[in-house]
Amino acid sequence: MRTTRLYLNQSLSVGDTIELDERAHRHVVQVLRLRPGAELVLFNGQGGEYRATLTEAQKRHSSVSLTGFEPRDTRPALPVTLVQGISKGDRMDYSLQKATELGVSRIQPVLTQRSQAPGDARRLDNRLEHWRGVVISACEQCGRNELPELGAVMSFQEWLGSPPDTGLGLVLDPRADTGLPGLAPPEGEVSLLIGPEGGLDETEILAARHRGFTPVRLGPRILRTETAGVAALAVIQGLWGDLR
């Protein structure tokens, strides 16, 4: 039986007995219905993971005892930033979940011309917090011990005005002449720009090119936003990262 992994945003130390936060408690006790004695793995994003035993499982609270530490390094071999045009609901969730599983180091959500933007700042903050939960759950599932950085939402113009990306910048464009296998291996990190539903418009692709991003295509088909990001990241990791 697979051991349950949990992210806790707090300091951890072998020998401590700690109370699980609301999210972890709900998952362990209410969803999985684990009982005292169950073995768990905890991580806090600061490197490595902790073996733990569930010592108390009450209706409203639960606690664990930390019994050991494993300095397992799961940092991606190739630093990749995903610059993702914000898409609707489940599509955005899927993009962030799979990007995390595929080893991105940073995720930058951007509002493009064709993005479906939330109506106000409060709703946008709520979506960002929801996306953070998606990323955490993906790390728990896939075995990562560190969380990819999730940037605050920026407009496309704000992103263009931010400090230039170092390394190789790529923007997906179905009309591009070059595919990913035709590029030279990057000397540093990779930044990948993906549009939302409907893709990036021509002015946005041109602006990305002026920033130094290279247009690339993914074969003869036009992919949905959530498919395009996953496919491109898988190819990038297969060519130059830790999927080789």
Side-chain angles (χ1 to χ4, degrees), residues 171-210:
V171 53
L172 288 192
D173 181 358
R175 297 161 299 182
D177 297 326
T178 306
L180 287 165
L183 300 177
E187 296 183 358
E189 65 184 63
V190 175
S191 295
L192 175 66
L193 172 60
I194 304 285
E197 297 97 331
L200 300 166
D201 69 18
E202 292 184 8
T203 62
E204 290 169 332
I205 293 175
L206 182 60
R209 293 184 64 177
H210 285 164

Side-chain angles (χ1 to χ4, degrees), residues 26-42:
R26 185 169 60 249
H27 182 66
V28 167
V29 175
Q30 298 179 9
V31 176
L32 299 180
R33 298 184 181 276
L34 298 181
R35 295 292 179 261
E39 298 297 320
L40 305 168
V41 171
L42 308 182

Side-chain angles (χ1 to χ4, degrees), residues 83-88 91-92 95 110-116 156 193-201 204 223-226 228:
V83 185
Q84 176 66 54
I86 294 175
S87 53
K88 295 179 182 176
R91 292 180 178 177
M92 188 69 176
S95 296
V110 293
L111 287 165
T112 69
Q113 291 287 342
R114 294 171 179 157
S115 290
Q116 299 292 321
F156 189 80
L193 172 60
I194 304 285
E197 297 97 331
L200 300 166
D201 69 18
E204 290 169 332
L223 306 180
R224 293 179 181 270
T225 178
E226 68 272 27

Side-chain angles (χ1 to χ4, degrees), residues 98-111:
K98 301 310 175 187
T100 301
E101 292 177 18
L102 285 165
V104 296
S105 299
R106 186 171 187 273
I107 301 167
Q108 177 58 63
V110 293
L111 287 165

Side-chain angles (χ1 to χ4, degrees), residues 24-131:
H25 165 75
R26 185 169 60 249
H27 182 66
V28 167
V29 175
Q30 298 179 9
V31 176
L32 299 180
R33 298 184 181 276
L34 298 181
R35 295 292 179 261
E39 298 297 320
L40 305 168
V41 171
L42 308 182
F43 65 101
N44 61 2
Q46 298 177 19
E49 59 190 22
Y50 293 80
R51 297 189 302 275
T53 301
L54 186 64
T55 56
E56 187 177 13
Q58 302 295 329
K59 183 177 180 180
R60 299 186 182 279
H61 65 91
S62 53
S63 58
V64 296
S65 176
L66 305 183
T67 59
F69 176 73
E70 296 290 341
R72 194 167 67 90
D73 187 356
T74 63
R75 288 174 296 180
L78 175 68
V80 179
T81 294
L82 173 65
V83 185
Q84 176 66 54
I86 294 175
S87 53
K88 295 179 182 176
D90 290 347
R91 292 180 178 177
M92 188 69 176
D93 290 359
Y94 183 89
S95 296
L96 301 191
Q97 179 190 70
K98 301 310 175 187
T100 301
E101 292 177 18
L102 285 165
V104 296
S105 299
R106 186 171 187 273
I107 301 167
Q108 177 58 63
V110 293
L111 287 165
T112 69
Q113 291 287 342
R114 294 171 179 157
S115 290
Q116 299 292 321
D120 53 48
R122 180 179 178 183
R123 289 181 62 189
L124 192 58
D125 288 342
N126 289 340
R127 287 197 71 182
L128 189 63
E129 190 61 28
H130 170 75
W131 295 335

Side-chain angles (χ1 to χ4, degrees), residues 138-183:
C139 286
E140 291 175 336
Q141 184 277 326
C142 75
R144 289 183 68 164
N145 287 331
E146 81 297 319
L147 305 183
E149 179 187 349
L150 179 61
V153 175
M154 304 174 73
S155 71
F156 189 80
Q157 292 301 320
E158 287 174 327
W159 171 72
L160 285 176
S162 61
D165 302 86
T166 58
L168 177 63
L170 303 171
V171 53
L172 288 192
D173 181 358
R175 297 161 299 182
D177 297 326
T178 306
L180 287 165
L183 300 177

